[in-house]
Amino acid sequence: MSIYADLILDHYQYPRNNTLVKGATSKVDLDNPLCGDKIHMEIREKDGVIQEIGFTGEGCAISIASASMLTEYAKGKTKKELLEISTGDVLGLLNIELTPNRMKCALLSWEGLRKLLI
Amino acid sequence: MIDTKQIRKDFPIFKNHPSLTYLDSAATSLKPKSVISKITEYYEHYSANIHRGIYHLSEKASEEYEGTRSVVASYINAPSQSEIIFTRNATEGINLIASTIGVTNVSEGDEIVTTVMEHHANFVPWQQLAFDVGADFKVIDIDENGSLPLKVSGHNSKSKTLVEISDIISKKTKILAIGLVSNTLGTINPVKAIIAAAKKINPQILSVVDAAQAVPHMKIDVQDLGCDFLVFSSHKMLGPTGVGVLWGRHEILKQMPPYQYGGDMIRSVALSDTTFADSPHRFEAGTPNIAGVIGLKEAIAYLENVGLESIRKHEHALTKYAMEKLTETFKECITIFGPADPDKRAGLVSFQIKGVHPHDIAQILDEHDIAVRAGHHCTMPLHTRLDVAATTRVSFYIYNDAQDIDKLIDGLKIATKTFSKKS
């Protein structure tokens, strides 16, 4: 079974929230030197709620799709809710089975989100 | 001609994975049955520690271990087997040089010269040594063809701006560290000519050759190369992991301080003083990888039986075929790195395909039982120089044939099709 399901490919080729955020309250840059994935994430938070979230960067299909899906999920949620997201939840969003080497790609945006919130 | 079908029968992994297309021998090679059996033979028949054992099992183990030294010496045409030092890998060989004679020979204001295409193993130890002692760390750039743009005899660089060796090497240059074959570009560097030109400027220069990607694939003669040190790894040449070789010129080895202290590297120890053994044992402290070293001997026997000239020819043909097929199939969507002329490269091809990340390529190929490498291949300075984050690399050896390349092309077509945009 290929991990490149239609949903993943769709989010990779047409990533959601693939933009900078106006009036961002927090920004972060992350990279995975192993494969050269680079991601920049921004949020605008008000009263503990994520009003806007966006990302830019380059990477493999898994890292981009996961950033797209996670930002889509995060919008409108509270900080508290988002800090409770586990790595398992992210993999659940992607709905694919990953080998250990690809986990880092999938979890790069999750790591970014946590850094933005803490 | 190499009979790959016959050769594959000698590699048990193909029995366990009949549909495997292994295109990652530049990372590590597969192992023939004879090497695996030799390792087992040691553990089952004469599993004893080497040297000083006054019983026949230990004597047999010592004989097999030391026997590898003379096999390795003749394989690379070293004048003496005492110049062959067993390490863990090529990386340790370079670190051994950097942390012994590197430290004693290089001072503030001196220069260490290497190239931008080096594997991290032949880059970071020198960079760090330069930082530690306050030396200048000079890095030779590549030209647009992935070759060194140096003006040396017999080297036909097509580069528009050739650099004179005298612009790089000076009397202050103490170390010249250079790879014989680039693990990413496949470029075969004119190491012999570069060393000769460098030594003309400064006869005191120590030349260190990283031959990890060369020794498994072509005939190497350390005396002909004119280098002072040469390192390689057993596991890339059909041998076991955990064993490397450092060859050093006798006159230099005898002046070098020890690398690590402990058992097996001493002549005598007293409360007030220790005298050290001569090379090679001076540099082999502690119990070595006995089984691994013995296995390497069997790997060399296998390679010599196939014949290094045949191996080189075989890989050259595969590289040419792969480059043609890749270009013909993916046209302007593919970028192949390194020399366009297959004569100037060893058996590996690194490339990028527009719109598909190397990791996604490798993943899709894996779904079809094709093993390739994706990433920076431990050459981050080179990838930065090429302005790419990652590449996909395929590398060939004696068990690969044209069918493997056809399978690769089919796999890559699936990858590009998967990522062609749907609207």
Side-chain angles (χ1 to χ4, degrees), chain A residues 83-99:
Chain A
L83 281 170
E84 277 167 8
I85 299 177
S86 69
T87 55
D89 294 334
V90 179
L91 299 177
L93 277 178
L94 291 165
N95 197 24
I96 47 173
E97 271 184 42
L98 288 175
T99 55

Side-chain angles (χ1 to χ4, degrees), chain A residues 1-4 6 9 12-14 33-37 59-62 99 102 105, chain B residues 355-357 359-361 363-364 367 374-376 380 389-390 418-423:
Chain A
M1 213 333 243
S2 174
I3 62 165
Y4 299 100
D6 284 346
L9 287 172
Y12 173 53
Q13 286 168 343
Y14 307 99
L34 189 69
C35 49
D37 290 351
C60 64
I62 303 304
T99 55
R102 297 310 293 281
C105 311
Chain B
V356 196
H357 191 284
H359 273 201
D360 294 321
I361 289 181
Q363 182 102 40
I364 289 174
E367 287 167 7
H376 54 60
M380 289 179 90
T418 305
F419 284 90
S420 61
K421 285 205 179 188
K422 297 179 189 92
S423 52

Side-chain angles (χ1 to χ4, degrees), chain A residues 24-113:
Chain A
T25 51
S26 186
K27 297 176 183 185
V28 70
D29 284 293
L30 278 115
D31 68 346
N32 177 2
L34 189 69
C35 49
D37 290 351
K38 279 186 189 138
I39 194 167
H40 171 83
M41 294 174 80
E42 299 187 347
I43 51 169
R44 189 174 71 235
E45 178 205 328
K46 202 180 173 197
D47 304 328
V49 177
I50 307 309
Q51 294 183 315
E52 273 304 329
I53 180 164
F55 76 98
T56 56
E58 51 183 311
C60 64
I62 303 304
S63 69
I64 298 299
S66 118
S68 170
M69 288 166 140
L70 186 64
T71 52
E72 199 174 45
Y73 176 86
K75 208 184 280 187
K77 298 261 186 330
T78 65
K79 250 176 101 162
K80 190 172 169 288
E81 280 173 316
L82 293 177
L83 281 170
E84 277 167 8
I85 299 177
S86 69
T87 55
D89 294 334
V90 179
L91 299 177
L93 277 178
L94 291 165
N95 197 24
I96 47 173
E97 271 184 42
L98 288 175
T99 55
N101 274 336
R102 297 310 293 281
M103 285 293 185
K104 267 207 88 117
C105 311
L107 297 174
L108 193 63
S109 52
W110 173 80
E111 212 184 308
L113 180 64

Side-chain angles (χ1 to χ4, degrees), chain B residues 92-107:
Chain B
E92 189 177 42
I94 294 167
N95 276 279
L96 191 159
I97 307 162
S99 64
T100 56
I101 197 163
V103 171
T104 54
N105 255 39
V106 185
S107 319

